Amino acid sequence: MKFLHTSDWHLGRSFHRVSMLGAQAAFVDHLVETVREHEVDAVLVAGDVYDRAVPPLPAVELYDRALHRLADLGVPTVMISGNHDSARRLGVGAGLIGRAGIHLRTDPAGCADPVVLADVHGDVALYGLPYLEPALVKDTFAAAKVSHEAVLGAAMDRIRADLAGRAPGTRSVVLAHAFVTGGQASDSERDIAVGGVEAVPASVFDGVDYAALGHLHGCQTINERVRYSGSPLAYSFSEAAHRKTMWLVDLGPDGEITAERIDCPVPRPLARLRGRLDDLLEDPAHTAYEASWIEATLTDPVRPDEPMARLAARFPHTLSLAFDPEGREEDGTASYAQRLKGRSDQEIAEDFVAHVRGGGSADEAERAVLRGAFEDVRAEDGRLEAGR
């Protein structure tokens, strides 16, 4: 049985204020054509269909067209909600839409109710495991504690129990939206850390033939049976080196896996340039980047006049400009954004504690209080969203 594994469409997202809706529509065209060309048996969409809980109308219209086109092909689609999606909104009409072969899995309690397909070798059970916010689903799954590993492990126990009750030889696929240990993150994913711990081990998916993952935006193989498709488009300059693809996965009669990467359309390449302004403007080696979206970091000792206008004369698609003067010693003058880059909310809060007391880092009791506060805020945000 042949699957097309994709995720993290983030419909409605822009790239440094540039609308990506046209590029997202081109990706949907490519998706539909790939399904047709490769005679795919099912499409797997592993979460973050939208970029935010209340997406703009054009993004909803594009989503609607995508579902109609997949349904017209007669190819089943299994889709889960991610941490960017509103699970309740995405799941509206799931029962009716399911009759058209589009199976939305947005309710964690239904994770052990698979979509069952069949080929000449028998049944394949497709389990949709939407993003699980630990504080909201701990009781649903009777998890031992509030953590991603605990709730995902408990959900997978339900899935394995259902699978054990099916006919011998039933093959299995799980869609999940999580941060699995060994995965490489980029700047464009929303943090899902709880208590500073967000990663779950790949072993949580033991017992199933294939885990189709979403959340991380780089296509990557955790192991033969656990893979991220990555996002079909780049959403930050940290993804400049990514090759954006989908996985074409062939599930053999005994559960063996073969997988091929299918390239996605690139609306415009990304480039990260660094150096003195005059060098960037004159170096012939940069000719290849003149049509690219550009992130430029200028290293001039003194900030040059009108740097953006001068860059745009050669690189008209420059979107991001930063300054990092060469030879500058660390003098505490780095921008607020530079000081916070790559740091979690917990780390920032601990730094604040140290700052206001004039030295000395937060102790374990203080770190525990901060962790609890962040978890409570995250849980309350989730409850408010669920009630809208």
Side-chain angles (χ1 to χ4, degrees):
M1 189 169 289
K2 195 177 295 183
F3 304 105
L4 189 63
H5 167 198
T6 178
S7 73
D8 295 273
W9 295 0
H10 289 276
L11 300 181
R13 186 164 187 158
S14 60
F15 182 75
H16 289 264
R17 300 177 302 280
V18 174
S19 173
M20 297 295 283
L21 195 66
Q24 290 168 341
F27 162 69
V28 170
D29 292 342
H30 173 68
L31 172 74
V32 171
E33 183 55 36
T34 300
V35 171
R36 184 184 295 112
E37 177 185 347
H38 291 274
E39 299 181 339
V40 169
D41 296 301
V43 175
L44 314 177
V45 186
D48 281 354
V49 178
Y50 290 121
D51 188 55
R52 55 182 185 265
V54 184
L57 183 57
V60 177
E61 292 172 341
L62 178 56
Y63 167 76
D64 181 62
R65 293 197 300 273
L67 296 195
H68 275 85
R69 294 175 69 182
L70 289 169
D72 288 345
L73 290 175
V75 176
T77 297
V78 182
M79 181 179 292
I80 63 172
S81 51
N83 61 302
H84 279 249
D85 298 309
S86 165
R88 292 188 64 181
R89 287 190 179 88
L90 191 65
V92 168
L96 287 172
I97 296 172
R99 297 179 188 178
I102 307 295
H103 305 281
L104 303 177
R105 293 294 187 262
T106 62
D107 182 0
C111 67
D113 178 21
V115 176
V116 180
L117 306 179
D119 62 13
V120 295
H121 305 292
D123 287 347
V124 178
L126 308 178
Y127 296 93
L129 184 53
Y131 170 68
L132 304 177
E133 181 60 55
L136 298 182
V137 301
K138 175 182 178 292
D139 294 339
T140 299
F141 293 109
K145 59 182 181 178
V146 179
S147 74
H148 286 282
E149 183 174 355
V151 298
L152 193 56
M156 283 301 303
D157 286 343
R158 289 192 181 187
I159 288 171
R160 282 185 283 262
D162 178 83
L163 187 59
R166 296 188 175 273
T170 298
R171 291 159 290 164
S172 57
V173 173
V174 169
L175 288 77
H177 197 87
F179 190 167
V180 174
T181 303
Q184 297 298 311
S186 61
D187 291 345
S188 56
E189 297 122 3
R190 181 182 295 165
D191 181 29
I192 60 171
V194 170
V197 179
E198 60 184 7
V200 300
S203 60
V204 77
F205 299 107
D206 286 354
V208 298
D209 294 307
Y210 184 71
L213 300 183
H215 179 58
L216 299 183
H217 288 184
C219 180
Q220 48 202 294
T221 301
I222 304 300
N223 61 50
E224 180 191 24
R225 299 186 182 277
V226 181
R227 301 172 188 258
Y228 284 97
S229 67
S231 61
L233 297 165
Y235 291 115
S236 75
F237 278 102
S238 66
E239 301 168 57
H242 286 190
R243 175 187 165 199
K244 295 300 185 181
T245 61
M246 301 177 285
W247 283 113
L248 184 63
V249 179
D250 205 327
L251 180 62
D254 297 316
E256 62 270 32
I257 295 289
T258 58
E260 172 190 357
R261 293 177 71 177
I262 304 295
D263 288 293
C264 295
V266 178
R268 189 179 297 280
L270 275 58
R272 308 178 94 171
L273 304 182
R274 180 183 180 87
R276 294 192 177 199
L277 178 57
D278 287 343
D279 293 338
L280 297 185
L281 295 178
E282 296 170 6
D283 190 342
H286 296 326
T287 300
Y289 306 124
E290 291 176 356
S292 301
W293 278 320
I294 298 293
E295 177 192 68
T297 300
L298 301 185
T299 61
D300 301 71
V302 177
R303 185 173 300 207
D305 292 334
E306 300 184 331
M308 180 60 90
R310 293 166 64 187
L311 277 170
R314 182 179 188 187
F315 307 104
H317 304 288
T318 301
L319 299 181
S320 176
L321 178 61
F323 298 91
D324 186 16
E326 59 191 29
R328 182 185 66 183
E329 296 181 1
E330 289 297 329
D331 57 4
T333 61
S335 72
Y336 183 70
Q338 289 171 327
R339 296 197 302 272
L340 298 188
K341 186 174 183 179
R343 301 185 66 75
S344 68
D345 290 342
Q346 177 82 17
E347 290 171 327
I348 294 167
E350 290 177 15
D351 287 348
F352 177 75
V353 171
H355 172 73
V356 296
R357 66 160 51 114
S361 60
D363 60 28
E364 182 51 43
E366 291 167 331
R367 289 195 291 271
V369 170
L370 291 170
R371 279 196 297 271
F374 284 122
E375 290 169 12
D376 288 346
V377 169
R378 186 186 297 276
E380 182 62 20
D381 286 346
R383 292 188 187 96
L384 290 173
E385 175 57 40
R388 287 175 183 170

